[in-house]
Amino acid sequence: MKKSYNYFKMLNDLSNDVSKAFSDVLNNRNIEFSRMTFFSLKKELNYQLCNEFITPISRDDIYVIADCLTEQMHCIRVISEFSSLFWYDVRKTNGLLADILKRQERLLSSLVDFKNKKQVLNECSESLSVTSNTSFYIQKKIKDCISGVEQQPLLRYTVYASLFELSQTLKTTFSQIERILINN
């Protein structure tokens, strides 16, 4: 009998690569290795989903979380293009998002078994709240760029728009994890 593929471990590995890429951006290192590893794992995940009949959770749920992680990786690539331009307020936002990415890793690793469901749901709700607050802060910075309060408004707008998109995909991921836990 064929052993089932560990989708949860793969999603956790993808999340680890996203966090590592973001950490590389914060430390002014090249993210290409993390990106290549990520997309290699994503390709393997897609291959397994196409070839296995039974999955531990809905196939669509796995695709949605994997797509959210892919979108996060794309946002991080854009952010990395401007990493030499990080201003103090962007560094603050990056620190918040790095913590949120760590939360995502913990939550995805907790999906391996559905023990402590209530605790994981509480952490998911807390993560959604923290991410919403961070998104609100980033939106305020975007408004400052548009209104001309900030110096170099176009550059700052580009960076903040990518950070905002990253925070939104994190919110989507947390919502999906919460939905998976409630439905299983």
Side-chain angles (χ1 to χ4, degrees):
M1 187 163 127
K2 183 179 171 187
K3 186 178 179 200
S4 180
Y5 187 74
N6 191 342
Y7 292 99
F8 298 117
K9 181 182 179 327
M10 180 59 74
L11 289 172
N12 191 34
D13 290 347
L14 289 170
S15 179
N16 290 340
D17 284 340
V18 169
S19 291
K20 181 172 179 343
F22 195 72
S23 174
D24 289 346
V25 168
L26 297 180
N27 295 314
N28 287 327
R29 292 190 299 247
N30 191 333
I31 67 167
E32 287 310 308
F33 182 75
S34 297
R35 287 187 73 236
M36 288 183 342
T37 304
F38 176 87
F39 286 109
S40 172
L41 291 173
K42 174 96 186 281
K43 184 176 180 180
E44 180 183 339
L45 177 74
N46 287 336
Y47 175 80
Q48 292 296 330
L49 282 170
C50 288
N51 291 316
E52 280 202 16
F53 183 69
I54 298 173
T55 57
I57 59 175
S58 164
R59 189 177 306 277
D60 292 337
D61 290 339
I62 296 170
Y63 276 123
V64 167
I65 291 177
D67 288 344
C68 286
L69 294 170
T70 302
E71 187 60 35
Q72 291 170 23
M73 186 60 85
H74 290 308
C75 292
I76 291 169
R77 187 196 57 75
V78 172
I79 294 166
S80 75
E81 298 293 324
F82 297 99
S83 63
S84 64
L85 302 173
F86 284 170
W87 308 273
Y88 170 76
D89 48 345
V90 174
R91 286 191 192 106
K92 176 184 172 188
T93 305
N94 287 346
L96 294 170
L97 288 171
D99 291 342
I100 294 169
L101 285 165
K102 291 295 179 194
R103 285 174 179 265
Q104 175 179 265
E105 280 184 66
R106 280 195 313 272
L107 286 169
L108 285 172
S109 68
S110 69
L111 283 181
V112 174
D113 57 1
F114 288 98
K115 296 177 184 172
N116 301 326
K117 195 183 226 183
K118 186 175 181 180
Q119 178 184 353
V120 176
L121 278 169
N122 288 338
E123 187 171 344
C124 223
S125 295
E126 184 182 323
S127 297
L128 273 167
S129 175
V130 169
T131 309
S132 293
N133 291 340
T134 303
S135 293
F136 181 74
Y137 173 78
I138 296 169
Q139 278 181 315
K140 183 182 176 306
K141 290 298 187 179
I142 289 172
K143 287 177 185 174
D144 289 347
C145 291
I146 292 171
S147 65
V149 173
E150 299 280 348
Q151 295 176 351
Q152 300 172 313
L154 186 57
L155 286 174
R156 285 182 185 252
Y157 176 82
T158 304
V159 171
Y160 280 122
S162 296
L163 291 169
F164 181 73
E165 189 173 342
L166 177 60
S167 70
Q168 293 302 102
T169 57
L170 282 162
K171 280 173 52 177
T172 304
T173 305
F174 293 137
S175 297
Q176 290 300 319
I177 294 169
E178 192 174 57
R179 191 178 59 70
I180 289 167
L181 288 168
I182 290 170
N183 290 337
N184 289 310

